[in-house]
Amino acid sequence: MKLRLGIVGCGRLGTIIAEAVAKGYLPEYELVGCYSRTFASAERLAMTMAEAGVACQPCREYDELLALEPDIVAEAASPQCMREIGEKTLRAGCSMVILSIGAFADDEFYATIRRTAAENRARVYIASGATGGFDVLRTATLMGGAEARFFNQKGPRGLRGTSVYDEKLWEEERTVFQGTATEAIAQFPTRVNVTVAASRASVGPEQMQVTMHCKPDFVGDTQRVEIRNEQVHAVVDIYSATPEIAAWSVVAVLQNIVSPIVF
């Protein structure tokens, strides 16, 4: 029997996840429905799936999606959305694969989600997004005495709409932020989810030091996480030209959930 899959967030990333179902990357799943902040986005995704031969119900309200009784919801929306739907989803006994890990910078919310998942025999799978190396981060932290830091480089276009943006960024290279992962996600709610993911896999959001750099004419994102203890020094350095790697990381998690071999 196939697992019933719902998608939250019907933009570019949610569409990639849905198309992975249509293209046969996730044969163990049935895509039953999708929900987005705007119903028109959910309708567009459902129409795209219908053209590919996949029946997917667009939902006006999130409760409509839960009423379809998905086994797993793939979230590709925003930290605010995750805060709104997280507990409700888990109380329904539905597991989640999430990209908006930025919501977990809040220790209280993180603890609530852990408790709710355990009480309802559900799980929250954190997709790697545009970073990686969670295995070595967790291992080095377990060994003790670990320190970790995160570096992110963007172009000026990637900072538009934030408090640090100004036109001079198109002409001069600049460090635009230094602080903890908690401070970073507060200042850039939708742009540095990966810093919180890396910190939760290692030393925690208050201990993870984050530097954000802006370089004129730079396209895409560089994410570099570094962890060090007395015996280990590891660096994971990833450049991505587009955000698509984040959506494919969700597909990889969904494959792992049902695979007899887990990477």
Side-chain angles (χ1 to χ4, degrees), residues 149 226-229 231-235:
R149 58 184 180 178
E226 181 177 8
I227 192 163
R228 182 192 300 268
N229 62 29
Q231 301 179 62
V232 174
H233 178 208
V235 179

Side-chain angles (χ1 to χ4, degrees), residues 235-257:
V235 179
V236 179
D237 198 341
I238 297 177
Y239 167 76
S240 53
T242 74
E244 291 188 8
I245 187 176
W248 284 105
S249 75
V250 173
V251 175
V253 171
L254 289 168
Q255 287 183 339
N256 258 345
I257 289 171

Side-chain angles (χ1 to χ4, degrees), residues 68-140:
L68 298 174
E69 299 184 344
D71 298 297
I72 298 175
V73 164
E75 177 277 323
S78 69
Q80 180 58 38
C81 179
M82 179 58 195
R83 283 188 284 267
E84 292 170 359
I85 70 170
E87 288 184 72
K88 179 183 292 189
T89 304
L90 298 169
R91 286 197 190 106
C94 178
S95 294
M96 305 183 75
V97 181
I98 70 167
L99 281 173
S100 297
I101 182 64
F104 286 174
D106 181 336
D107 286 339
E108 184 175 348
F109 180 70
Y110 182 60
T112 297
I113 289 297
R114 283 178 60 99
R115 183 178 64 252
T116 305
E119 290 172 351
N120 293 276
R121 296 185 179 181
R123 289 190 174 185
V124 178
Y125 300 91
I126 297 173
S128 60
T131 186
F134 289 173
D135 52 349
V136 72
L137 293 176
R138 287 172 55 83
T139 302

Side-chain angles (χ1 to χ4, degrees), residues 50 83 144 148 155 175 190 212 230 251:
R83 283 188 284 267
T175 295
T190 61
M212 182 182 289
E230 290 186 355
V251 175

Side-chain angles (χ1 to χ4, degrees), residues 10-108:
C10 299
R12 184 178 183 183
L13 303 186
T15 299
I16 290 173
I17 298 166
E19 289 178 342
V21 176
K23 293 176 181 178
Y25 288 96
L26 299 168
E28 297 88 352
Y29 293 86
E30 174 189 3
L31 180 58
V32 296
C34 60
Y35 167 77
S36 194
R37 181 174 53 86
T38 59
F39 183 59
S41 296
E43 284 188 308
R44 281 194 296 272
L45 179 55
M47 186 175 299
T48 299
M49 290 299 97
E51 292 171 354
V54 176
C56 171
Q57 181 175 320
C59 301
R60 289 185 181 275
E61 304 292 338
Y62 186 63
D63 284 348
E64 291 181 42
L65 182 60
L66 290 183
L68 298 174
E69 299 184 344
D71 298 297
I72 298 175
V73 164
E75 177 277 323
S78 69
Q80 180 58 38
C81 179
M82 179 58 195
R83 283 188 284 267
E84 292 170 359
I85 70 170
E87 288 184 72
K88 179 183 292 189
T89 304
L90 298 169
R91 286 197 190 106
C94 178
S95 294
M96 305 183 75
V97 181
I98 70 167
L99 281 173
S100 297
I101 182 64
F104 286 174
D106 181 336
D107 286 339
E108 184 175 348

